[in-house]
Amino acid sequence: MSNSSRKLPNILVTGTPGVGKSELSRLLAERTGFGWLDVSKLAIEHKCLESFDEEYQCPVLDEDKLLDLMEPMMAEGGKIVDYHGTDFFPERWFDIVFVLRTNNTILYDRLVARGYSGKKLEDNIDCEIFQTLLIEAKESYKEEIVHELQSNIPEQTIDNVNRICQWIEQWKLDNQ
Ligand code: DAT
C-alpha cells in the first residue's frame, strides 16, 4: 500500500517536443479511460500564460495559476500529464514518469515537418542530444519512478502503451 490516497495512479509523460508525447498519451487515454492533460493546451484554454518568450519562441506559463487549476484534477487520480517540462509540478502528483526518447535524425525530420527551423529547431535537437528532460526528470522525482522509453517507430509506441497498461494493472493490485 502506497501513501497515495488516489484510487488510480497519475502518470507524467515528458520529453523533447516531437518525441511522441501526444501520440502516446492519446492512445493510452483511449485504452485506459484515464484523463489526458495536455499542459500546453490547458494553459492556453485557461489563460495560464504570462508572456511570450521571443528567444525560445514559446509561451511562458503562469505556473501558479496552472498548478491551482490542475491540483483538484490530479487529486482525483487517473491522469496522464503530457508536457515538455517536469520541474515545476509537485513531486507528490506522480506515481510514475516516462521520458520519451527519439533518435536525433528522426526527431529532426519530425520537427522540420512541424515547421520548426533555425534556432528553435537547433535548440530542440540539442535538448534531445543533451538528455535535458531525462536529467530534469531524474532531479525532480525519485530515480526509481523515472523510465526512459524509445519512440522512434510506431511499433514502439504500441509497445509502450502495452507496458504502461501492465504497470497500471499492477499498481491497482498493489494499492487495493
Ligand atoms: P510531442 O507531443 O512529443 O510533441 P507528437 O505526439 O505530436 O509529439 O509526435 C510528433 C510527430 O511524430 C507526429 O507526427 C506523430 C509522430 N510520432 C509520434 N510517435 C511516433 C513513433 N513512435 N514513431 C513514428 N512517429 C511517431
Side-chain angles (χ1 to χ4, degrees), residues 16-23 110 114 151-154 157:
T16 308
V19 291
K21 298 181 294 299
S22 304
E23 187 74 359
R110 284 189 203 164
R114 193 182 262 190
S151 182
N152 299 305
I153 53 173
T157 299

Side-chain angles (χ1 to χ4, degrees), residues 1-164:
M1 187 77 190
S2 78
N3 293 328
S4 169
S5 58
R6 296 186 279 267
K7 293 231 165 34
L8 291 171
N10 288 324
I11 298 168
L12 177 58
V13 177
T14 191
T16 308
V19 291
K21 298 181 294 299
S22 304
E23 187 74 359
L24 176 80
S25 301
R26 184 178 59 77
L27 292 170
L28 190 60
E30 274 175 21
R31 268 277 287 276
T32 58
F34 278 32
W36 168 22
L37 305 182
D38 176 336
V39 172
S40 300
K41 221 183 253 176
L42 205 63
I44 293 168
E45 282 168 6
H46 294 269
K47 301 193 166 50
C48 302
L49 302 176
E50 270 183 345
S51 57
F52 192 80
D53 187 319
E54 292 296 340
E55 189 185 351
Y56 292 101
Q57 291 288 304
C58 65
V60 179
L61 302 181
D62 178 342
E63 293 180 359
D64 290 340
K65 190 173 172 189
L66 186 65
L67 295 180
D68 284 349
L69 173 76
M70 290 177 69
E71 181 70 53
M73 303 177 189
M74 299 309 292
E76 282 178 357
K79 298 294 182 291
I80 304 160
V81 173
D82 156 4
Y83 193 58
H84 57 269
T86 64
D87 58 357
F88 67 95
F89 300 122
E91 195 183 347
R92 63 186 159 76
W93 275 4
F94 297 105
D95 300 286
I96 198 156
V97 179
F98 294 106
V99 184
L100 303 191
R101 303 302 308 277
T102 300
N103 170 285
N104 301 324
T105 52
I106 296 175
L107 183 63
Y108 187 94
D109 292 344
R110 284 189 203 164
L111 292 177
V112 169
R114 193 182 262 190
Y116 285 21
S117 63
K119 180 168 166 53
K120 187 165 183 167
L121 177 59
E122 278 170 33
D123 285 346
N124 281 294
I125 295 297
D126 283 351
C127 176
E128 190 58 15
I129 291 173
F130 294 117
Q131 317 197 97
T132 309
L133 270 307
L134 180 65
I135 293 167
E136 187 180 302
K138 286 184 175 173
E139 283 170 0
S140 307
Y141 302 91
K142 289 200 191 81
E143 275 206 43
E144 61 264 33
I145 74 158
V146 177
H147 303 272
E148 257 184 286
L149 295 176
Q150 295 303 314
S151 182
N152 299 305
I153 53 173
E155 290 73 14
Q156 287 174 329
T157 299
I158 305 296
D159 272 359
N160 293 336
V161 169
N162 289 335
R163 281 177 61 190
I164 297 171

